[in-house]
């Protein structure tokens, strides 16, 4: 019925009696309910919430903060909360939210928002993003790859090369190899670009929203899976049950070179 406030206390009852094996799914449900309650039927972009009036904004602020307290890695909530801060002319608070979110779960959209929010020169953007790359943990390589993409976009290939050098080949995913291909192409090393694209086709895929029940991949987070209709089953993870991209992707190097 969309009554998220009624569902939250019910979930607490379930959670208190749940076995250890159910905890990940209950956490996903908790995060989804907090997020949905924060949005209160509005679209997930800050402009829609702001246009709905002050009550909706206050509710969203509190709900999104509660969501991130439970799951700092749930980057859609950080993106929306930062947008509300920007709408209130509070860029420093927006940057703080985005920086914390990037440390917890690096994402290209967070990096793009940080670049807009900081309003600094190209070199300073890359330097600040570099400072957000965690020293250890499962997202170090992903963060380095994202910052490397930003560096290359700002004509800093040396920095991209340095960041790629920090990621051993055996740990590189498809996104990292594609970045290596773009770097090689920028340096007119077409043989290296072709090899990197071939390896991208064989490497693990980068994180996507995937249903933990039916394994369907989604472009955006949504409360219910479009395949099995499961509630709060979407997880931001490296896809399971999905074969690598065809090795023939390496044949696309001609298009890359032409670009």
């Amino acid at each position: 019925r969309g009554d998220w406030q009624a569902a939250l206390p019910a979930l607490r009852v379930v959670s208190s009696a749940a076995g250890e094996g159910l905890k990940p799914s209950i956490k996903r449900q908790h995060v989804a309910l907090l997020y949905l309650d924060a949005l209160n039927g509005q679209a997930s972009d800050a402009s829609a919430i702001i246009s709905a009036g002050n009550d909706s904004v206050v509710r969203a602020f509190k709900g999104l903060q509660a969501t991130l307290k439970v799951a700092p890695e749930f980057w859609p909530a950080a993106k929306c909360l930062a947008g509300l801060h920007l709408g209130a002319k509070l860029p420093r608070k927006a940057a703080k939210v985005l920086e914390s979110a990037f440390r917890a779960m690096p994402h290209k959209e967070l990096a793009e928002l940080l670049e807009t929010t900081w309003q600094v020169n190209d070199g300073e953007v890359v330097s600040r993003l570099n400072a957000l790359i965690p020293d250890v943990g499962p997202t170090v390589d992903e963060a380095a790859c994202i910052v490397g993409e930003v560096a290359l976009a700002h004509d800093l290939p040396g920095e991209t090369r340095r960041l790629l050098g920090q990621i051993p080949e055996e740990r590189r995913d498809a996104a990292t190899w594609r970045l290596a291909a773009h770097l090689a192409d920028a340096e007119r090393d077409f043989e290296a670009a072709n090899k990197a694209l071939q390896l991208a086709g064989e490497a693990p895929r980068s994180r996507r929203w995937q249903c933990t029940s039916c394994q369907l991949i989604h472009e955006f987070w949504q409360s219910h899976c479009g395949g099995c209709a499961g509630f709060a089953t979407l997880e931001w993870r490296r896809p399971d049950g999905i074969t690598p991209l065809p090795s023939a992707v390496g044949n696309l190097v001609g298009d890359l070179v032409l670009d």
Side-chain angles (χ1 to χ4, degrees):
R1 297 176 180 175
D3 190 350
W4 315 120
Q5 287 186 323
L8 277 164
L11 182 66
R12 294 190 189 101
V13 175
V14 175
S15 178
S16 64
E20 197 64 33
L22 291 176
K23 292 296 175 67
S25 63
I26 288 177
K27 180 181 178 180
R28 284 196 304 272
Q29 291 172 1
H30 190 192
V31 171
L33 289 174
L34 288 170
Y35 183 58
L36 292 165
D37 185 47
L39 299 181
N40 192 25
Q42 303 298 323
S44 59
D45 62 289
S47 59
I49 297 172
I50 293 171
S51 65
N54 189 58
D55 289 344
S56 292
V57 172
V58 172
R59 179 173 182 167
F61 265 119
K62 293 180 178 179
L64 292 169
Q65 288 170 343
T67 304
L68 291 169
K69 185 175 181 180
V70 174
E73 72 280 5
F74 190 65
W75 58 268
K79 181 181 172 183
C80 188
L81 181 57
L84 292 178
H85 282 307
L86 289 172
K89 310 298 183 184
L90 299 170
R92 290 187 179 181
K93 288 189 175 182
K96 186 175 180 180
V97 169
L98 294 168
E99 288 164 5
S100 297
F102 190 89
R103 289 190 188 98
M105 183 57 67
H107 191 276
K108 185 176 181 179
E109 289 187 29
L110 297 177
E112 291 172 350
L113 281 171
L114 278 167
E115 184 173 353
T116 301
T117 304
W118 284 330
Q119 293 186 343
V120 294
N121 62 46
D122 295 352
E124 183 67 14
V125 165
V126 175
S127 177
R128 291 191 182 190
L129 286 174
N130 261 316
L132 299 179
I133 299 175
D135 295 327
V136 295
T139 63
V140 173
D141 296 343
E142 294 168 75
C145 180
I146 291 169
V147 179
E149 289 180 2
V150 174
L152 191 60
H154 289 299
D155 295 322
L156 297 170
E159 182 62 12
T160 302
R161 192 182 308 105
R162 184 188 71 80
L163 290 163
L164 280 172
Q166 296 178 357
I167 308 174
E169 290 192 2
E170 62 271 16
R171 294 209 312 254
R172 294 185 179 185
D173 61 9
T176 308
W177 281 116
R178 285 196 297 271
L179 176 59
H182 284 293
L183 176 62
D185 178 58
E187 296 175 336
R188 313 300 290 176
D189 188 345
F190 303 133
E191 182 178 352
N194 184 41
K195 180 181 178 182
L197 281 177
Q198 289 175 340
L199 290 169
E202 302 166 359
R205 297 192 187 186
S206 52
R207 293 180 195 263
R208 302 284 297 279
W209 291 112
Q210 184 177 35
C211 177
T212 58
S213 179
C214 70
Q215 314 305 317
L216 184 67
I217 299 293
H218 296 72
E219 190 67 24
F220 306 101
W221 184 89
Q222 53 197 60
S223 59
H224 293 77
C225 173
C228 66
F231 174 70
T233 56
L234 269 61
E235 187 172 84
W236 183 251
R237 66 182 188 183
R238 295 190 184 278
D240 291 335
I242 305 293
T243 58
L245 296 172
S247 297
V249 72
N251 294 332
L252 296 176
V253 71
D255 295 332
L256 178 64
V257 171
L258 288 175
D259 291 340

